[in-house]
Amino acid sequence: MRVFLLALLFCCQLLTAAAANVPLMPVRDLRAGMQGIGKTVISGDTIETFNVEILGVNGSEAMGYNIFVRLYGDLIEKTGGVAQGMSGSPVYVDGRLVGAVAFGKTFNDPHYCFLTPIGKMLPLLDEPRELPADWIPKGTALMAGGFTEYGMEYLQEKLQPFGLTAVNSGGTGASSDKPLEPGSSVGVALMQGDMTLGALGTVTWTDDSGKILAFGHPFMQRGSSNFFMNKVWVLGVVPNLQSSYKVGNLGEAIGSITQDRSSGIGGVVGKQPDSIPMFVTVNDSSRGQANSMRMRLIDDEQLVPSMVDAAVVNTVSKTVDRNGGGTAKLHFTITGVDSKKEILTIDRENMYYSNDALLKNLDAELTEAVTILMQNKFEPVQIYGINVEAEVSNAVQVAEILNVRTKNAKVKPGDRVAVDVTMKPYRGEEFTKTVYFKVPKDHPGGKLALNVRGGISMAWVIELLRKQQSEGVPAAKKKETRHKLSDYIKSVNTADKNNELIIDVAMGQMQPPNPEAAANDAGLAGMLQGSPFKQKYPFDFIIDGESEIVLTVDK
């Protein structure tokens, strides 16, 4: 049976290769000292060749083979050795396809690298294959276009957890109009539009139906994947002490990368992957400057929150052209549908202030809202669009609560009580605003403490939502509360805002009729929503501080 399966697999590979009219050279036929050529692009879209010497093969049938080679010739001297972006470059011996340039060793002689055998790439094996220790893929550096210097620094922070790095490629530009063939440059993009983010590699194999194989190593090893396949125009190769790399423009999307596994990436020219349109507009009222950016993001639950974060921060950075503090008003809308095709909408506006790092703090709520939708534990969500509007100023739009008082400390159930709140804006004159609170009709009488405070950021709300998602509802109380995705969306849409004055019954003052259910809901409904008697008053500045007054209710 094993012999039959191996024979069947080999026949399938031969049929696939035949479709591409490429004869193969299996690993068993390779000998040290054999000479061959490789194909790649180092400028524009012109495929050039370089010389290859087979040095040997290591590995086993069970673990997989790697082909150790030396690259040489005029092209290799121009590039300073094997460079990132050459990954996937096909190597031929006696006109037969051997495999693809895949990985080399940092700081070692860059003329030496490993090939991934073509026999491993054709089926795009599902099971991971270990790379030799300390040998790294050639081509995993991402090219970022349309990013400011600060935006690049921020992007690097967001990419670090995924084991990715990025270099500034300068943006989109001319791209090749030639069809892809072995040796052509090809892009794999996560984001495209006014901002781009993707990797550059080389096509190893194609067939007449538009299918391609490339890279010779994983991009992110996501298995079944959903990346843009892009045409590329290579600008040149940048020498680097650690590892040289190609720089180029990611052109139009021409298809989808559907497989991302240990032996390489695979895709098909034609239908593009599902994506999320995003529009960001920023106005700097202090400078009278405005910018807007449009982009499409791949539909990936893990990557989208970080890309949204980086896109907003970069657009603000480009508009304000400075670091430091200030005040921002951010309004965002996220629309999508759940598994039942019911429309889901998060619509949120808030104000933020930081005295030294506004850019890093202004879109925390947006990032977490996207995370809640895409990574929720209840059901998959398809996001149809993300729209963000930001207004930024270097002014300090913050006021502090100085004093709270009322003329009528003795009240009756149902009374509407006037509360005078004195506030002092930053470097401004203090003023008093009268707000109102309605005493609960069913108050039993006695003392009633009211908390008067500024709206707070969602930092603690986020922590609460994460805790609820990870831990769920305690088993003993699941019958009392069944949270749904819509509950979390409502919580985000109705959460207090930093520029609201909140007046509410102090915690513990009014007990609901079912204490056990209340305890179960204390985290989400009680703490997040406050009491049913809470009143909100919006202002054009952020409100800081809190105070308390005590009323006497005469029933």
Side-chain angles (χ1 to χ4, degrees), residues 9 67 81 153 315 354:
L9 177 61
I67 306 166
E153 293 176 4
T315 308
S354 173

PDB file of all heavy atoms in Angstrom, residues 9 67 81 153 315 354:
ATOM      1  N   LEU A   9       1.464   9.283  -5.784  1.00  0.00           N
ATOM      2  CA  LEU A   9       1.868  10.665  -5.547  1.00  0.00           C
ATOM      3  C   LEU A   9       2.849  11.137  -6.607  1.00  0.00           C
ATOM      4  O   LEU A   9       2.734  12.240  -7.162  1.00  0.00           O
ATOM      5  CB  LEU A   9       2.491  10.800  -4.150  1.00  0.00           C
ATOM      6  CG  LEU A   9       3.041  12.188  -3.776  1.00  0.00           C
ATOM      7  CD1 LEU A   9       1.922  13.221  -3.793  1.00  0.00           C
ATOM      8  CD2 LEU A   9       3.697  12.145  -2.396  1.00  0.00           C
ATOM      9  N   ILE A  67      18.359  20.808  -0.130  1.00  0.00           N
ATOM     10  CA  ILE A  67      19.467  20.765  -1.085  1.00  0.00           C
ATOM     11  C   ILE A  67      20.388  21.946  -0.801  1.00  0.00           C
ATOM     12  O   ILE A  67      19.958  23.110  -0.870  1.00  0.00           O
ATOM     13  CB  ILE A  67      18.941  20.826  -2.528  1.00  0.00           C
ATOM     14  CG1 ILE A  67      17.893  19.718  -2.763  1.00  0.00           C
ATOM     15  CG2 ILE A  67      20.083  20.708  -3.525  1.00  0.00           C
ATOM     16  CD1 ILE A  67      17.081  19.915  -4.033  1.00  0.00           C
ATOM     17  N   GLY A  81      25.071  38.369  -3.001  1.00  0.00           N
ATOM     18  CA  GLY A  81      24.715  37.026  -2.549  1.00  0.00           C
ATOM     19  C   GLY A  81      23.220  36.824  -2.608  1.00  0.00           C
ATOM     20  O   GLY A  81      22.472  37.641  -3.148  1.00  0.00           O
ATOM     21  N   GLU A 153       7.736  52.911  12.571  1.00  0.00           N
ATOM     22  CA  GLU A 153       8.121  52.452  13.906  1.00  0.00           C
ATOM     23  C   GLU A 153       6.934  51.772  14.592  1.00  0.00           C
ATOM     24  O   GLU A 153       7.082  50.722  15.226  1.00  0.00           O
ATOM     25  CB  GLU A 153       8.604  53.632  14.752  1.00  0.00           C
ATOM     26  CG  GLU A 153       9.906  54.257  14.267  1.00  0.00           C
ATOM     27  CD  GLU A 153      10.289  55.475  15.084  1.00  0.00           C
ATOM     28  OE1 GLU A 153       9.576  55.776  16.070  1.00  0.00           O
ATOM     29  OE2 GLU A 153      11.287  56.127  14.738  1.00  0.00           O
ATOM     30  N   THR A 315      -2.065  57.432   9.402  1.00  0.00           N
ATOM     31  CA  THR A 315      -2.781  58.538   8.768  1.00  0.00           C
ATOM     32  C   THR A 315      -2.760  59.780   9.644  1.00  0.00           C
ATOM     33  O   THR A 315      -2.580  60.901   9.149  1.00  0.00           O
ATOM     34  CB  THR A 315      -4.235  58.132   8.451  1.00  0.00           C
ATOM     35  OG1 THR A 315      -4.251  56.902   7.730  1.00  0.00           O
ATOM     36  CG2 THR A 315      -4.928  59.199   7.626  1.00  0.00           C
ATOM     37  N   SER A 354      -3.683  63.049  25.706  1.00  0.00           N
ATOM     38  CA  SER A 354      -2.419  62.567  26.240  1.00  0.00           C
ATOM     39  C   SER A 354      -1.447  63.741  26.228  1.00  0.00           C
ATOM     40  O   SER A 354      -1.439  64.537  25.287  1.00  0.00           O
ATOM     41  CB  SER A 354      -1.858  61.423  25.397  1.00  0.00           C
ATOM     42  OG  SER A 354      -0.553  61.068  25.838  1.00  0.00           O
TER      43      SER A 354
END
